[in-house]
Amino acid sequence: MKLSRCFTALAAAAALTTAFTVQAREYSVSTVLSDAFPWGQAATKWAELVKERSEGRITLRVYDNAQLVAGDQTKEFSAMRSGLIDMAVGSTINWSPQVPELNLFSLPFLMADNADIDAITQGEAGQMVFKAIEKRGVVPLAWGENGFRELSNSKQPIRTPNDLKGMKIRVVGSPLFQDTFSTLGANPTQMSWADAKPALTTGAVDGQENPLSVFDVSRIDQVDQKYLTLWHYMADPLIFAVSPNVWKGFSAEDQALLKQAAYDAGRWEIESSRAAEAQRLASIRSRGVEVTELSADERQAFIDATAPLYQKWEKRIGVELLKAARNAAAAQ
């Protein structure tokens, strides 16, 4: 009798283990940068929160360096939409070829500071952007942040648009980036980040633009980038998102868990990244980089020079979306 009860207990335990194994699932999360950077840390934090709150039923495995799309970060959105990638913490820049509305954040000098970013992403404009992403077949959950992009080069301090004349600047694969730097008289050169560092080393390109976190962690000063201009010309919000087929497979409770974890991971990453900016800048200066901070009048000259781009791009981005974003920033 005791032996029978023992076998019954073992069978019940085995059944419970089997049920748990069937329910537990691992999902891929694509990101471009590793957790040495705030971007990768956002994805890692999301994975940690989901595992903890689901008690291990849901595991998110982070694949950095865009390895799930063979390093081509502009294909990340399409891969998630088709189900080749389950989830991603992605860049508005990289997803803009598939979601034109995301070019909003690449418009030069739309946002002056963090308050403007928050007002746009957390208000009506942010809701409109999320609806545009949903319309293109991906489920957006929350915002993160890659920071304002600053300009560095190997030639000279840059204080005016004239200082950029003829300078070869590495840019990401975005037509709006090409337009911005061409308008300023530079020679924009599109290339992946893997190709950019060798090109900076050899002098094939003179400069690049990236957030301070990328400049600092990647030690861009080591590839002859001796001059850094803080011009805050655009910011790159990150987006936590899920493939629609994967999303439909979750219960309502797990959908809520994933969304809240994404929101919490995003807020954590934004706050920690912003808090580290002063230390990053001090570290960059300590390595001998000459940092130029533009005066209000100097920055205005760049704003005036790039103003014609708004007329060209507002229809592609959406007149009402741009209006909502401008109103949000103006209200600060």
Side-chain angles (χ1 to χ4, degrees):
M1 203 64 179
K2 288 182 180 179
L3 187 60
S4 176
R5 284 198 298 268
C6 181
F7 280 129
T8 301
L10 287 172
L16 184 61
T17 301
T18 300
F20 180 82
T21 302
V22 170
Q23 291 177 5
R25 287 287 305 275
E26 180 177 284
Y27 299 89
S28 61
V29 180
S30 177
T31 186
V32 170
L33 296 179
S34 73
D35 59 8
F37 303 85
W39 188 341
Q41 291 163 13
T44 299
K45 187 69 171 179
W46 189 22
E48 290 173 353
L49 292 177
V50 168
K51 185 174 183 179
E52 174 189 329
R53 295 175 184 181
S54 70
E55 297 181 335
R57 287 186 302 102
I58 305 171
T59 300
L60 308 187
R61 183 177 178 185
V62 179
Y63 294 84
D64 56 24
N65 297 314
Q67 58 184 290
L68 296 178
V69 284
D72 187 348
Q73 55 218 55
T74 62
K75 293 181 178 178
E76 186 178 64
F77 187 90
S78 296
M80 183 167 42
R81 179 172 55 196
S82 66
L84 294 176
I85 293 173
D86 297 326
M87 307 179 191
V89 179
S91 158
T92 57
I93 300 169
N94 294 337
W95 294 1
S96 63
Q98 290 81 33
V99 187
E101 290 86 350
L102 292 178
N103 284 293
L104 172 74
F105 300 101
S106 296
L107 282 169
F109 306 104
L110 174 67
M111 299 163 284
D113 52 30
N114 290 331
D116 285 352
I117 299 176
D118 294 341
I120 291 171
T121 58
Q122 304 305 314
E124 179 188 4
Q127 293 172 7
M128 293 170 72
V129 168
F130 270 23
K131 287 180 181 177
I133 293 172
E134 289 174 356
K135 184 179 178 181
R136 294 336 189 279
V138 165
V139 181
L141 302 182
W143 295 97
E145 185 169 282
N146 197 29
F148 279 98
R149 299 176 77 92
E150 314 295 6
L151 180 65
S152 73
N153 79 97
S154 60
K155 300 294 185 183
Q156 63 185 11
I158 294 174
R159 285 192 173 276
T160 72
N162 279 337
D163 294 331
L164 270 169
K165 298 290 184 185
M167 196 173 285
K168 293 174 289 185
I169 304 295
R170 177 266 173 180
V171 296
V172 298
S174 162
L176 181 46
F177 278 64
Q178 296 274 348
D179 282 354
T180 297
F181 283 90
S182 294
T183 298
L184 291 171
N187 178 14
T189 305
Q190 178 185 328
M191 61 178 65
S192 69
W193 186 239
D195 294 330
K197 290 192 77 172
L200 290 166
T201 301
T202 62
V205 293
D206 302 312
Q208 61 84 51
E209 48 76 54
N210 255 308
L212 289 182
S213 60
V214 174
F215 190 102
D216 185 27
V217 176
S218 296
R219 294 301 304 272
I220 299 179
D221 53 287
Q222 293 182 339
V223 289
D224 205 28
Q225 296 296 284
K226 298 178 288 189
Y227 305 97
L228 176 66
T229 296
L230 305 181
W231 63 340
H232 268 41
Y233 88 111
M234 64 149 291
D236 178 25
L238 302 175
I239 299 170
F240 294 73
V242 184
S243 172
N245 290 334
V246 171
W247 185 247
K248 291 173 186 175
F250 288 113
S251 66
E253 292 78 10
D254 283 344
Q255 287 179 350
L257 184 154
L258 281 161
K259 187 169 185 177
Q260 186 62 49
Y263 177 83
D264 292 342
R267 293 311 308 168
W268 171 86
E269 182 263 339
I270 289 170
E271 291 170 8
S272 60
S273 180
R274 290 178 182 178
E277 284 289 273
Q279 183 178 348
R280 289 190 192 109
L281 189 56
S283 177
I284 291 167
R285 280 192 165 111
S286 73
R287 299 198 294 265
V289 176
E290 184 176 332
V291 178
T292 298
E293 299 189 55
L294 300 182
S295 68
D297 288 343
E298 288 171 334
R299 192 171 186 273
Q300 188 62 47
F302 284 99
I303 293 173
D304 294 342
T306 55
L309 292 175
Y310 281 73
Q311 184 174 1
K312 177 179 180 179
W313 279 88
E314 68 175 357
K315 288 185 179 179
R316 303 187 200 183
I317 292 168
V319 174
E320 291 304 313
L321 173 57
L322 179 55
K323 181 180 177 181
R326 280 177 152 165
N327 288 343
Q332 298 311 299

